[in-house]
Amino acid sequence: PNGPGDLFPSLFVPAPVRGSDTRQGLSHAASAIFAVLQRTAADGTEEMRIVESAELLVHPKQRFEATAVRG
């Protein structure tokens, strides 16, 4: 589907305003996008189901933790 790249900053950028650090913001954004994509796939459409996934954008059911990678 089109749109995850646009959705990501809308979820990540406000993280500091909500009191989240970078790791928490990334974790939330990735988890919420996964929930929307999962819902979209279940509906069998290429248009992301953002409105129908509003609750999942705030409270995703599955949580992905961000991990620092050192090179």
Side-chain angles (χ1 to χ4, degrees):
N2 296 323
D6 296 325
L7 182 58
F8 181 83
S10 70
L11 295 166
F12 177 67
V13 170
V17 175
R18 292 190 315 261
S20 299
D21 62 21
T22 300
R23 183 175 284 168
Q24 292 167 328
L26 288 171
S27 178
H28 176 77
S31 301
I33 288 173
F34 179 83
V36 172
L37 292 175
Q38 193 172 39
R39 173 79 182 259
T40 301
D43 286 355
T45 181
E46 289 188 28
E47 184 175 331
M48 286 183 26
R49 297 298 186 213
I50 296 172
V51 173
E52 297 86 348
S53 303
E55 180 63 24
L56 295 172
L57 287 171
V58 179
H59 303 288
K61 292 180 182 178
Q62 187 171 355
R63 184 88 177 161
F64 297 98
E65 295 301 324
T67 303
V69 177
R70 307 244 190 279

